[in-house]
Amino acid sequence: MNMQTPSRDALRFGYRDTELGTILVAASARGVAAIFMGGDRTRLSRDLKAAFPGSNLTQDQDGMAQIISKAAALVEAPHLGTDLPLDLRGSDLQRAVWTALQAIPSGETRSYGAIARTLPVAATAQEVGAACAANTIAVAIPCHRVVKADGSISGYRWGVERKRRLINLEAVA
């Protein structure tokens, strides 16, 4: 029997409705590569195809059930954290930003500039913002914890209102 290991370009995915809308969760053999949030499964599917061009995408609702459940629990209670393995795909700068975001304690926020100053590589606040916008793993890479220098909430790939709700969920936990 010829057993092949799935390539990194093979992603299985599925959906779940949560309090913050529908999530699409996609995983490779290495871990979760995407947690997208939205209101429309068709659009989420299109976004997945756009984010991972050339990848072999297979909907596998049953096979992904445990991972999807963990991702949904994280979205609904981000302060609890997660043990989901992640398949981070990005430049060195993006991965440095995402690692810094994971170090922000639940219930706290940091400014884009403050994150830039903590990185092991030179970066501007704008570059931190661009790395946040490129993040495909909502909540597990907590871009929602990054705010403007004055503390106000600014852009979020999955909508400012979702960002506000996530920050509020963590603040009361």
Side-chain angles (χ1 to χ4, degrees):
M1 178 190 257
N2 183 10
M3 298 291 289
Q4 286 188 313
T5 303
S7 78
R8 186 169 179 194
D9 292 321
L11 295 174
R12 297 177 304 132
F13 70 95
Y15 305 93
R16 170 79 57 90
D17 292 330
T18 72
E19 294 175 15
L20 292 178
T22 301
I23 61 169
L24 177 150
V25 182
S28 69
R30 293 179 55 167
V32 173
I35 301 174
F36 289 174
M37 296 188 292
D40 178 88
R41 289 180 182 207
T42 301
R43 178 163 182 189
L44 290 171
S45 179
R46 275 197 318 266
D47 290 348
L48 181 67
K49 288 175 187 170
F52 298 94
S55 292
N56 178 15
L57 305 175
T58 304
Q59 186 170 349
D60 184 7
Q61 198 69 37
D62 293 337
M64 292 280 297
Q66 184 177 13
I67 293 171
I68 294 168
S69 290
K70 285 184 175 188
L74 176 65
V75 167
E76 292 181 345
H79 61 283
L80 297 178
T82 186
D83 63 354
L84 284 170
L86 303 180
D87 180 357
L88 299 177
R89 301 177 184 206
S91 69
D92 290 343
L93 174 61
Q94 288 169 334
R95 287 193 313 257
V97 169
W98 300 336
T99 298
L101 298 179
Q102 290 176 298
I104 302 171
S106 176
E108 295 184 19
T109 59
R110 301 283 187 278
S111 72
Y112 295 94
I115 293 293
R117 290 188 294 276
T118 68
L119 298 176
V121 295
T124 65
Q126 291 79 14
E127 289 170 317
V128 170
C132 288
N135 173 27
T136 60
I137 309 175
V139 190
I141 303 296
C143 290
H144 64 276
R145 295 180 186 154
V146 185
V147 295
K148 293 173 66 173
D150 65 5
S152 63
I153 295 175
S154 60
Y156 187 54
R157 181 177 185 152
W158 295 282
V160 171
E161 185 52 38
R162 278 192 186 92
K163 182 173 185 170
R164 182 175 288 110
R165 288 183 64 195
L166 286 164
I167 289 171
N168 290 339
L169 278 171
E170 290 184 345
V172 298

